[in-house]
């Protein structure tokens, strides 16, 4: 007997709610009902992963499940929100139970880390596509906007840049050497910076997650804020895995500046709050690096290793 739509929902997606205070009604009715904790606003984001566009067709199902949730958690991180619940719209070419079990395992592995409840969704037949909508909470007006950067702010990024893009290019070359595994893992299992985002709400003026590439995403902050930035090439954090990957320095820089899928945070901090950032730094589980500053003149300038200032155009991923 082929598995039905309702079996799929019951077996692979229905789990006991962990946020019993907040999730009033979960999977099984026409819609879910959630209750924001007293004194919080609701933050909502949605992101789709399409097979062949956002992940290679041969990606492991557990990685697809993990990443679909991770990219949404990253949007919560970029807002400084506390994630709480998500919904899942799944389009599947067929009802493959092994695939579904692995996909669901990957997704719930990450959901459990943040005590997130899957509260509803939709299951349809079609080309493989995963849409997750996520919800969370912020204290009133304590979210991290793109539009808050000011002249004089310092620009920071978390973690290291370029790893995921380098990992993708290795996969496309069908290279799977062990030494490249950390880069490929970063592509398939991004680490959303949820704790960092929450801690930045009282420190940063502006924040974005780097999904399309540093130049593209910092560019969004700059345009939204009506400012520019100068960043130093020598300051851009590169992992040892990427340094030792065999790419030439120009290709490494290209990945770090313009490569997508790292899901690090890029944020700006006013000089008056640098002290606060320093004390925060010691409590953080991820490195943060100052890469430049916000300027009055619009546009993005890169100070090269030799000290020349060059204007750079955003080159991140765009669908159309
Ligand atoms: P409706 O016909 O009202 O749209 P569905 O038959 O699509 O309801 O879904 C039945 C219930 O299962 C709903 O509560 C819906 O939110 C939930 N659901 C459907 N697909 C999924 C999924 N992939 N993940 C989680 N919940 C789902
Ligand atoms: Mg439905």
């Amino acid at each position: 007997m082929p598995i039905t739509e309702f079996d799929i929902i019951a077996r692979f997606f229905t789990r006991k709610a962990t946020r019993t205070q907040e999730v009033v009604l979960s999977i099984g009715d026409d819609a879910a009902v959630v209750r924001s904790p007293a004194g919080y606003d609701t933050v909502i984001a949605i992101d789709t992963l399409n097979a062949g566009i956002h992940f290679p067709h041969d990606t492991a199902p557990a990685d697809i499940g993990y990443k679909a949730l991770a990219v949404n958690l990253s949007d919560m991180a970029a807002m400084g929100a506390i994630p709480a619940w998500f919904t899942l719209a799944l389009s599947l070419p067929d009802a493959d139970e092994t695939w579904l079990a692995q996909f669901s395992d990957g997704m719930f592995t990450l959901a459990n880390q943040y005590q997130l409840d899957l509260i509803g969704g939709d299951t349809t037949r079609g080309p493989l596509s995963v849409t997750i909508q996520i919800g969370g909470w912020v204290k009133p007006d304590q979210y991290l906007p793109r539009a808050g950067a000011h002249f004089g702010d310092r620009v920071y990024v978390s973690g290291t840049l370029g790893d995921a893009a380098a990992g993708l290019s290795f996969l496309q070359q069908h290279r799977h050497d062990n030494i490249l595994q950390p880069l490929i893992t970063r592509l398939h299992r991004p680490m959303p910076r949820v704790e960092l985002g929450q801690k930045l709400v009282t420190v940063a003026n502006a924040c974005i997650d780097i999904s399309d590439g540093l130049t593209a995403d910092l560019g969004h902050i700059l345009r939204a804020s009506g400012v520019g930035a100068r960043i130093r090439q020598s300051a851009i954090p590169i992992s040892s895995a990427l340094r030792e990957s065999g790419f030439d320095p120009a290709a490494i820089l290209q990945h770090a500046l313009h490569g997508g899928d790292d899901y690090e945070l890029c944020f700006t901090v006013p000089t008056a709050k640098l002290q606060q950032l320093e004390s925060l730094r010691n409590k953080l589980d991820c490195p943060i690096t100052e890469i430049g500053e916000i300027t009055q003149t619009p546009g993005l300038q890169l100070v090269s290793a030799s000290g020349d200032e060059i204007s750079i155009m955003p080159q991140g991923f765009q669908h159309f």
Side-chain angles (χ1 to χ4, degrees):
M1 266 259 292
I3 185 167
T4 70
E5 184 187 322
F6 298 104
D7 293 336
I8 292 175
I9 298 164
R11 277 180 51 194
F12 300 109
F13 300 119
T14 307
R15 297 283 185 279
K16 207 165 162 293
T18 54
R19 293 183 181 258
T20 47
Q21 298 293 308
E22 297 154 335
V23 176
V24 178
L25 190 61
S26 190
I27 294 173
D29 216 305
D30 295 313
V33 179
V34 291
R35 185 173 294 150
S36 322
Y40 284 83
D41 288 343
T42 303
V43 183
I44 299 173
I46 187 166
D47 256 321
T48 295
L49 300 189
N50 290 328
I53 308 274
H54 298 93
F55 56 87
H57 285 283
D58 59 357
T59 306
D63 288 338
I64 300 170
Y66 186 101
K67 185 164 180 175
L69 186 56
V71 303
N72 277 279
L73 274 166
S74 181
D75 283 328
M76 291 285 111
M79 296 303 289
I82 303 162
W85 54 260
F86 64 108
T87 62
L88 167 69
L90 195 54
S91 161
L92 298 169
D94 47 39
D96 176 338
E97 292 178 48
T98 310
W99 190 97
L100 280 160
Q102 292 171 358
F103 171 86
S104 160
D105 272 355
M107 186 179 70
F108 281 113
T109 297
L110 187 57
N112 293 341
Q113 282 177 35
Y114 290 95
Q115 290 181 285
L116 298 183
D117 285 336
L118 174 57
I119 60 168
D122 202 21
T123 307
T124 56
R125 186 195 292 269
L128 179 59
S129 173
V130 186
T131 298
I132 286 182
Q133 178 184 49
I134 193 164
W137 328 115
V138 287
K139 295 217 177 99
D141 301 320
Q142 287 204 14
Y143 59 88
L144 293 167
R146 293 182 178 185
H150 279 97
F151 171 50
D153 285 4
R154 305 290 164 81
V155 180
Y156 290 83
V157 292
S158 63
T160 58
L161 299 181
D163 293 335
L168 178 62
S169 82
F170 285 129
L171 278 187
Q172 287 165 341
Q173 294 162 29
H174 302 286
R175 286 180 53 191
H176 298 270
D177 332 12
N178 276 345
I179 189 170
L180 306 177
Q181 197 50 52
L183 303 175
I184 293 165
T185 300
R186 279 216 64 191
L187 174 71
H188 288 322
R189 301 242 167 180
M191 276 215 302
R193 301 297 192 180
V194 177
E195 293 81 4
L196 173 61
Q198 287 168 17
K199 293 203 170 99
L200 288 176
V201 289
T202 54
V203 178
N205 273 345
C207 185
I208 194 166
D209 66 323
I210 303 177
S211 54
D212 295 333
L214 174 65
T215 59
D217 290 316
L218 175 55
H220 292 314
I221 287 185
L222 302 182
R223 264 187 308 282
S225 305
V227 293
R230 184 187 304 111
I231 59 174
R232 292 181 302 281
Q233 183 182 319
S234 59
I236 293 171
I238 311 282
S239 69
S240 53
L242 181 51
R243 280 187 205 288
E244 289 152 22
S245 62
F247 271 118
D248 61 69
I252 290 177
L253 182 65
Q254 180 74 16
H255 284 314
L257 284 177
H258 307 298
D261 266 354
D262 284 318
Y263 297 96
E264 295 294 352
L265 295 183
C266 175
F267 54 97
T268 82
V269 177
T271 49
K273 298 220 169 136
L274 293 181
Q275 204 72 53
Q276 250 176 284
L277 184 69
E278 271 322 300
S279 55
L280 213 161
R281 190 193 285 277
N282 307 320
K283 294 176 217 146
L284 290 174
D285 57 355
C286 76
I288 52 174
T289 309
E290 188 192 314
I291 59 165
E293 61 274 325
I294 296 294
T295 57
Q296 251 163 341
T297 330
L300 183 56
Q301 306 292 319
L302 180 73
V303 182
S304 73
S306 55
D308 303 326
E309 224 174 270
I310 38 182
S311 212
I312 42 176
M313 287 292 145
Q315 292 179 23
F317 183 79
Q318 283 205 29
H319 284 271
F320 301 103

